Amino acid sequence: MTVANIEVSETPLMLYALRRADDALILGHRLSEWCGHAPAMEEDMALANMGLDLLGQARELYTYAAKVEGRGNDEDKFAYLRDVRQYRNLLLVEQPNGDFARTMVRQFFYAAFADLYWRAMMASSDPTFAAIAAKSEKESAYHVRHSSEWVVRLGDGTEESHRRAQTAIDDLWAYTGEMFAVDDGERGLIDAGIAIDPATLKARWLKTVTGIVNEATLALPKSDWMQQGGRVGSHSEHLGHLLSELQSLQRTFPGATW
Amino acid sequence: MATPNVPLWEVFIRSRNGLAHKHVGSLHAADATLALQAARDIYTRRGEGLSIWVVPSNAITASDPSEKGMMFEPAESKIYRHPTFYDVPDEVGHM
Amino acid sequence: MYTQALNSSDGDDRGVEDVARASQFQARIDADERIEPNDWMPAAYRKTLTRQISQHAHSEIVGMLPEGNWITRAPSLRRKAALLAKVQDECGHGLYLYAAAETLGTSREELVDAMLSGKAKYSSIFNYPTLTWADIGTIGWLVDGAAIMNQIPLCRCSYGPYARAMIRVCKEESFHQRQGFEIMVTLCRGTAEQKAMAQNALDRWWWPVLMMFGPPDQVSQHSDTSTKWKIKRFSNDELRQKFIDATVPQAEFLGLTIPDPGMKQNENGNWVHSPIDWDEFKQVLAGNGPCNRDRLAARRKAHEEGAWVREAAAAYAEKRKSRQLAQAAE
Ligand SMILES: [Fe+2]
Ligand SMILES: [Fe+2]
Ligand SMILES: [Fe+2]
């Protein structure tokens, strides 16, 4: 017997929570892949801390999505019983860890956004979102701090680290635009004061990113072509492999409790 | 090739308001900023801290254990520095 | 335990040292005083401790690998968070222990290099593979359980920095074993397949866990001096017995069978195990366990691939220092 994917009814608010939950889970999962393999023990500790923050955010957001949906799904059903096409995360967070520079640049791009995002979401008219935002904001603020310190050190470190950091920026840049995109369903939530318009964060995000990238003696790419698709389930090839690992037990032993 | 050494730091944490910073351990980091972050990530994961100091280990000057006699024993005979040295009649009560 | 290779002798180099100082040192130990880093200590004490603490540290770090093998496959988000936090703790333990070892005068880098080159040992237990999710439950329950049994007496070890590190470690360990046991309870109350998975894991881990406590007392060469120096407070066999007696009722609760049909309870109520295959133990310590090569390869890879990051951080620190100097000179 194979386990069927769960059915998800994506009403706007539910989908909104699900997308943010997926971002946090997938990035948290990526960070957890480092555990035991980081460049130094001190950094192993740091990566795990960030991963745990994100896993915690994911769980709260899935639980809220399940509540809004009201169809008996829960955090684990969302995480373990949806296929690639049902995942709604940003393309940025599913990008493989690569070397330490790529992991840190990915973290920095995302956290610099998430920090502004959660801070703004503290004013959400939805009390659950406001509460999740208050907690997540502090966590992401630290993620910005930590990742930006590393971006500076890698950029302004050795020739090799500079080259690796610049490559990471060049490769990941096209995945940053998706963070600021909004669809019709989200537009309605923004109008209702539940969600915030991410476009309003863009200038501040770019200022933070430019500041750090300059300090790191690195450069942002000239191209402004941006990849899209994660929010509607059109992912890169990487996500399928991540999910086949993440979901292997639940898929192999249908219906078991762990 | 032998791995080059990363500087060693001593970590001090104030666990609650009103308490002094207390030595909790050490870590390795290339500079003070990374050391402070590492101290946070290593030594405050269970809510152990409100404030952190990191100090380069080589900035600490320590007393020499072989001079313990000269350094600390002279204080032991100065019993008149302690309140119990003085007699106050019981009737006076707590003082 | 995590320091099994200590059971080979260092030889006796106390002859070259000042006899008076050595007896003063022993008097301090006998009076239950703690020895601190700058205190005079016999060279053999320093050497034994450096080796024991660093082996312990290596074990914590290599020990991240078998369990880390399942972080990305943990079957629920709750289990995933718990396992990541647990394996992260082990990294922290390694870190505290390297720091304690460094106070004896050898740098972390030297200690790590000795492990990566295969010269320094780590616990035999981490050279066994984690094949199923039940192995994660079993490791928490038995491997952490055995480690705790060994580590609690080390909190009173004569060397201050080691004892303090162990106090911190023991505090953190307390959730590891419960986390593992909870996994086992869930599996044993689950489907027939899950229960079989749990039994199979116990079958594979039981004997290697008993070996963690090290060779039987009659052949362990190091215990005498270690006991005299209050580094070791219980013998290998004593700890092993304590562990078995604590574990038998837990296995019974789970409805699992300990894979030792000959095990009997003696008149004192202790469970007496059948002979342990010490040849297997020797082979694993010698590098021939099922995963020795994989474990070392994984640690070397992390170390080598991290080199450019550590170099970058060092280079940046240098640059910043010279910029600050230049600024101050203006
Ligand atoms: Fe351990
Ligand atoms: Fe540990
Ligand atoms: Fe543990």
Side-chain angles (χ1 to χ4, degrees):
Chain A
M1 179 186 132
T2 51
V3 177
N5 297 320
I6 54 164
E7 275 179 40
V8 180
S9 27
E10 296 181 334
T11 56
L13 180 59
M14 186 279 174
L15 178 59
Y16 192 79
L18 191 65
R19 284 171 170 168
R20 274 82 208 161
D22 286 348
D23 289 344
L25 173 63
I26 299 302
L27 188 55
H29 182 97
R30 283 291 188 217
L31 292 175
S32 80
E33 292 173 356
W34 273 104
C35 187
H37 308 280
M41 292 160 67
E42 280 77 4
E43 196 51 34
D44 224 311
M45 303 295 292
L47 290 163
N49 275 346
M50 292 194 290
L52 287 166
D53 287 344
L54 289 161
L55 278 178
Q57 293 173 16
R59 295 181 66 188
E60 289 182 25
L61 287 160
Y62 281 136
T63 301
Y64 187 48
K67 192 176 152 209
V68 173
E69 189 192 29
R71 292 180 44 152
N73 285 323
D74 58 29
E75 56 173 32
D76 286 333
K77 286 192 178 138
F78 285 134
Y80 291 91
L81 298 176
R82 281 180 306 146
D83 198 5
V84 177
R85 300 285 291 144
Q86 295 173 291
Y87 259 81
R88 298 288 178 252
N89 58 278
L90 299 165
L91 297 172
L92 176 66
V93 296
E94 73 196 40
Q95 296 309 305
N97 287 339
D99 62 13
F100 184 71
R102 185 175 295 245
T103 292
M104 274 303 141
V105 168
R106 185 186 63 198
Q107 196 67 28
F108 175 59
F109 282 162
Y110 176 77
F113 170 78
D115 185 38
L116 296 171
Y117 171 75
W118 288 121
R119 216 183 305 157
M121 281 294 284
M122 287 165 68
S124 168
S125 62
D126 179 313
T128 308
F129 259 117
I132 293 173
K135 177 168 161 284
S136 305
E137 186 273 322
K138 294 186 192 79
E139 294 170 342
S140 45
Y142 186 77
H143 301 180
V144 178
R145 170 77 62 86
H146 189 73
S147 57
S148 63
E149 292 291 353
W150 270 113
V151 170
V152 168
R153 277 157 187 75
L154 298 179
D156 194 16
T158 63
E159 232 169 87
E160 179 178 10
S161 69
H162 180 90
R163 176 178 55 73
R164 287 174 183 268
Q166 188 59 58
T167 306
I169 289 177
D170 295 344
D171 290 351
L172 293 171
W173 181 246
Y175 299 110
T176 57
E178 209 179 10
M179 297 191 288
F180 303 97
V182 166
D183 66 11
D184 290 344
E186 294 194 355
R187 185 62 61 197
L189 297 173
I190 293 167
D191 294 341
I194 293 171
I196 58 105
D197 186 350
T200 60
L201 308 175
K202 177 103 190 247
R204 268 182 295 159
W205 177 81
L206 197 59
K207 192 170 166 235
T208 306
V209 168
T210 311
I212 293 297
V213 164
N214 287 345
E215 189 185 340
T217 71
L218 296 161
L220 293 180
K222 295 274 174 293
S223 160
D224 54 8
W225 166 253
M226 290 293 157
Q227 298 288 348
Q228 309 276 344
R231 291 298 190 214
V232 294
S234 294
H235 292 278
S236 63
E237 289 177 349
H238 306 296
L239 185 63
H241 294 283
L242 185 157
L243 293 182
S244 70
E245 202 173 328
L246 176 87
Q247 300 178 340
S248 62
L249 273 176
Q250 292 268 3
R251 299 284 188 178
T252 313
F253 300 95
T257 305
W258 301 94
Chain B
M1 191 190 83
T3 308
N5 286 7
V6 179
L8 187 65
W9 302 75
E10 300 304 322
V11 181
F12 300 81
I13 289 183
R14 185 214 301 283
S15 57
R16 273 186 292 134
N17 265 329
L19 295 184
H21 286 75
K22 192 177 159 228
H23 184 242
V24 296
S26 340
L27 54 84
H28 288 263
D31 60 51
T33 308
L34 291 182
L36 196 62
Q37 291 188 9
R40 179 260 192 198
D41 282 319
I42 295 161
Y43 290 106
T44 67
R45 284 173 295 135
R46 287 172 167 81
E48 298 98 327
L50 290 178
S51 164
I52 304 175
W53 291 346
V54 289
V55 180
S57 303
N58 62 16
I60 291 177
T61 307
S63 62
D64 181 346
S66 71
E67 294 175 351
K68 217 160 51 184
M70 167 186 90
M71 293 286 281
F72 308 114
E73 269 171 38
E76 281 169 21
S77 59
K78 314 291 190 294
I79 50 176
Y80 44 78
R81 293 194 200 275
H82 300 280
T84 45
F85 180 76
Y86 301 94
D87 287 327
V88 175
D90 284 347
E91 306 89 277
V92 179
H94 180 75
M95 183 177 276
Chain C
M1 177 56 60
Y2 282 9
T3 52
Q4 291 146 334
L6 275 176
N7 297 292
S8 60
S9 179
D10 264 338
D12 192 346
D13 53 358
R14 276 164 300 157
V16 297
E17 269 155 8
D18 180 354
V19 180
R21 283 173 120 185
S23 76
Q24 266 171 21
F25 174 82
Q26 190 58 47
R28 290 188 61 198
I29 301 254
D30 294 341
D32 266 331
E33 272 184 46
R34 285 290 156 80
I35 308 303
E36 293 298 336
N38 295 326
D39 291 349
W40 184 88
M41 62 187 85
Y45 179 84
R46 185 184 301 276
K47 192 167 162 189
T48 299
L49 268 173
T50 303
R51 199 148 58 125
Q52 169 157 348
I53 301 171
S54 62
Q55 279 182 22
H56 195 160
H58 304 328
S59 300
E60 301 284 357
I61 297 303
V62 176
M64 296 172 75
L65 298 170
E67 288 182 282
N69 185 36
W70 279 90
I71 292 172
T72 54
R73 290 180 288 170
S76 73
L77 297 186
R78 179 173 182 271
R79 296 271 180 244
K80 194 185 193 66
L83 185 60
L84 178 54
K86 194 253 183 203
V87 179
Q88 183 200 40
D89 272 356
E90 306 301 3
C91 183
H93 299 171
L95 215 147
Y96 310 152
L97 286 161
Y98 280 124
E102 284 190 280
T103 62
L104 291 158
T106 313
S107 71
R108 185 205 284 183
E109 287 79 3
E110 274 175 87
L111 298 169
V112 169
D113 284 348
M115 190 255 286
L116 295 177
S117 72
K119 234 172 58 201
K121 301 291 178 215
Y122 56 86
S123 177
S124 57
I125 195 71
F126 301 119
N127 290 312
Y128 291 87
T130 49
L131 301 179
T132 71
W133 175 250
D135 293 33
I136 299 309
T138 307
I139 289 180
W141 171 36
L142 298 182
V143 175
D144 286 273
I148 292 166
M149 210 136 257
N150 178 58
Q151 287 169 348
I152 287 175
L154 285 172
C155 296
R156 294 186 295 133
C157 153
S158 62
Y159 188 55
Y162 192 23
R164 291 191 287 273
M166 290 323 299
I167 288 170
R168 206 176 175 91
V169 166
C170 285
K171 250 190 228 160
E172 298 187 359
E173 286 290 350
S174 57
F175 98 80
H176 297 181
Q177 193 185 16
R178 293 171 66 101
Q179 175 267 159
F181 195 72
E182 194 190 89
I183 292 174
M184 296 308 274
V185 171
T186 310
L187 292 175
C188 291
R189 287 180 182 162
T191 65
E193 240 175 338
Q194 286 176 304
K195 177 105 192 237
M197 194 189 271
Q199 180 63 54
N200 174 269
L202 176 58
D203 292 347
R204 282 180 289 114
W205 288 94
W206 176 254
W207 293 104
V209 166
L210 294 193
M211 294 174 199
M212 283 176 73
F213 294 92
D217 295 348
Q218 317 100 275
V219 301
S220 171
Q221 301 165 36
H222 240 262
S223 291
D224 280 0
T225 35
S226 287
T227 307
K228 201 183 86 191
W229 284 331
K230 294 194 182 163
I231 295 171
K232 200 179 173 86
R233 287 179 184 261
F234 296 97
S235 78
N236 295 352
D237 286 337
E238 280 168 346
L239 287 169
R240 186 163 23 239
Q241 189 59 55
K242 225 173 127 187
F243 171 78
I244 295 173
D245 292 339
T247 306
V248 168
Q250 294 164 353
E252 212 166 281
F253 174 87
L254 292 170
L256 297 176
T257 309
I258 289 178
D260 181 359
M263 191 163 71
K264 290 191 276 305
Q265 209 165 12
N266 67 14
E267 59 284 3
N268 302 325
N270 299 126
W271 289 94
V272 184
H273 61 80
S274 303
I276 293 172
D277 179 1
W278 291 112
D279 279 339
E280 174 179 328
F281 176 72
K282 270 181 221 145
Q283 287 299 330
V284 175
L285 269 196
N288 298 323
C291 296
N292 295 60
R293 284 171 181 79
D294 290 343
R295 300 292 182 243
L296 268 187
R299 286 313 309 160
R300 282 181 192 143
K301 183 166 183 277
H303 186 77
E304 282 160 19
E305 290 180 358
W308 68 269
V309 177
R310 299 188 298 270
E311 283 160 18
Y316 178 81
E318 270 314 307
K319 283 187 200 175
R320 191 155 75 167
K321 223 184 277 169
S322 49
R323 277 174 209 152
Q324 277 163 354
L325 283 178
Q327 240 173 17
E330 271 168 27

